[in-house]
Amino acid sequence: MSSGVNILDGKAIAEEVHAETQRRVEALEVHGIRPGLAVVLVGDNPASRIYVENKHRTASRLGFFSRKIELPADCPKEQLHEILNALNSDSAIHGILVQSPLPSHLDEEEVVAAISPEKDVDGFHPVNVAKLALGHSDGFVPCTPLGILRLLQHIRFPVPGSHAVVVGRSRIVGKPMALLLLQRGPLGNATVTVAHSQTRNLAAITRQADLLIAAIGQPNFLGSEHVREGAVVIDVGINRIADASAPRGYRLVGDVRFEEVAPICRAITPVPGGVGPMTIAMLLQNTVLAAERAVGLGRS
Ligand code: GUN
């Protein structure tokens, strides 16, 4: 936490992860290996373009070989699959990521399944999803939930035995987050409730949370009526709302009404600067892990 305030500075904690990753990149250099990441963007979703650029730039800064592949919104499925096949067999590439969401003519599940599980640094391939669900440690875990665990570790939040309420059930955040918190171990063993858009009496449930994870994708959805005093609140939402006074005509807000919730909770992540930077940090950590595994040095 920064200077006694209860705001979890994801940017600063991400830099700590980057420093560790950079050491691992340097250790691989001794073996003549440079971790390689390919980031694929299909179409021109403006938010996705920014995320992809951030991933590409940060990877280059840490000494990765980073390839950004931009394809038009009407890119035929066959062409995308050909590109993924080529990346799967390219020994300079250890991690492959296709930015979500995809244009509607492309089936996300089919695309993810076309990535080699050993290079699926997003942890979305069915093999990696199954490994997480089964508690096997040799797969890849999705970056946002992994980043959230790292934040909890940083503030020494006692996860075991706590009641974690995850609001949202996406394959990118909600589901893997719930699975991770359920795992045995010092960052698991939580009692996990998953709430979603069909949940009745949401506030009655979220108010029971020691740890509240908001991954709904609705701006300012949760307020002080949803939060118990002293809870830790992790806001995964990155929502653009129109703001004529902002330089770009919009500003970013989370799923949580920050001003209202910050005074009552033990710790809260801001938007931007909370979970977002952690996601990139864990993506690069997963990619260096993929490179280590490719040369038989992998920790699991
Ligand atoms: N879109 C939003 N978050 C993510 C992510 O973690 N990975 C990918 N590939 N796309 C995303």
Side-chain angles (χ1 to χ4, degrees):
M1 261 179 286
S2 61
S3 64
V5 190
N6 65 349
I7 297 172
L8 269 164
D9 185 348
K11 245 179 126 173
I13 302 163
E15 284 304 325
E16 286 178 19
V17 178
H18 288 328
E20 288 165 22
T21 300
Q22 208 160 8
R23 279 196 289 279
R24 288 164 72 178
V25 171
E26 285 159 15
L28 278 170
E29 221 174 282
V30 177
H31 297 269
I33 302 291
R34 189 166 178 215
L37 173 67
V39 186
V40 182
L41 173 67
V42 188
D44 43 22
N45 178 310
S48 291
R49 188 169 286 285
I50 294 172
Y51 299 146
V52 161
E53 184 52 37
N54 277 344
K55 289 167 183 174
H56 175 61
R57 204 183 37 219
T58 314
S60 304
R61 168 162 74 93
L62 298 187
F64 288 69
F65 167 58
S66 179
R67 258 192 88 185
K68 183 169 68 169
I69 299 165
E70 298 185 60
L71 301 168
D74 61 355
C75 167
K77 165 181 149 178
E78 294 72 22
Q79 190 190 347
L80 177 59
H81 283 262
E82 259 172 45
I83 289 168
L84 293 176
N85 284 340
L87 293 170
N88 282 340
S89 47
D90 183 344
S91 61
I93 296 293
H94 304 95
I96 303 168
L97 173 152
V98 179
Q99 186 67 27
S100 230
L102 286 171
S104 57
H105 70 285
L106 296 168
D107 179 333
E108 302 232 358
E109 284 194 30
E110 220 178 286
V111 169
V112 162
I115 298 170
S116 158
E118 293 78 29
K119 297 191 178 187
D120 167 41
V121 285
D122 255 334
F124 297 161
H125 189 284
V127 165
N128 287 318
V129 174
K131 284 184 175 177
L132 175 60
L134 293 167
H136 297 183
S137 59
D138 60 342
F140 288 103
V141 175
C143 307
T144 300
L146 205 54
I148 291 170
L149 285 194
R150 179 69 187 232
L151 290 173
L152 296 174
Q153 186 181 32
H154 185 87
I155 57 166
R156 298 192 171 81
F157 178 80
V159 182
S162 69
H163 186 188
V165 177
V166 180
V167 190
R169 53 178 158 179
S170 68
R171 70 184 169 96
I172 295 183
V173 185
K175 278 186 196 159
M177 187 77 254
L179 287 170
L180 276 173
L181 291 165
L182 270 178
Q183 276 188 346
R184 293 178 193 277
L187 288 169
N189 285 329
T191 302
V192 181
T193 301
V194 183
H196 47 77
S197 54
Q198 302 293 306
T199 297
R200 253 182 274 145
N201 267 332
L202 181 65
I205 292 166
T206 56
R207 271 202 304 270
Q208 292 172 30
D210 304 304
L211 170 63
L212 179 58
I213 296 175
I216 312 145
Q218 302 267 357
N220 295 321
F221 190 81
L222 300 176
S224 54
E225 74 275 22
H226 293 97
V227 180
R228 179 159 84 188
E229 198 166 337
V232 167
V233 178
I234 305 291
D235 190 352
V236 183
I238 305 180
N239 309 292
R240 288 181 174 206
I241 59 167
D243 181 351
S245 69
R248 292 186 182 83
Y250 69 86
R251 66 193 162 88
L252 296 179
V253 297
D255 292 346
V256 177
R257 297 195 288 277
F258 183 86
E259 301 299 333
E260 198 178 299
V261 170
I264 58 171
C265 59
R266 181 187 150 200
I268 184 167
T269 57
V271 177
V275 173
M278 295 305 293
T279 298
I280 299 185
M282 303 328 274
L283 170 70
L284 299 175
Q285 191 184 77
N286 275 350
T287 306
V288 84
L289 176 60
E292 289 166 351
R293 284 175 176 168
V295 291
L297 293 168
R299 7 172 158 172
S300 59

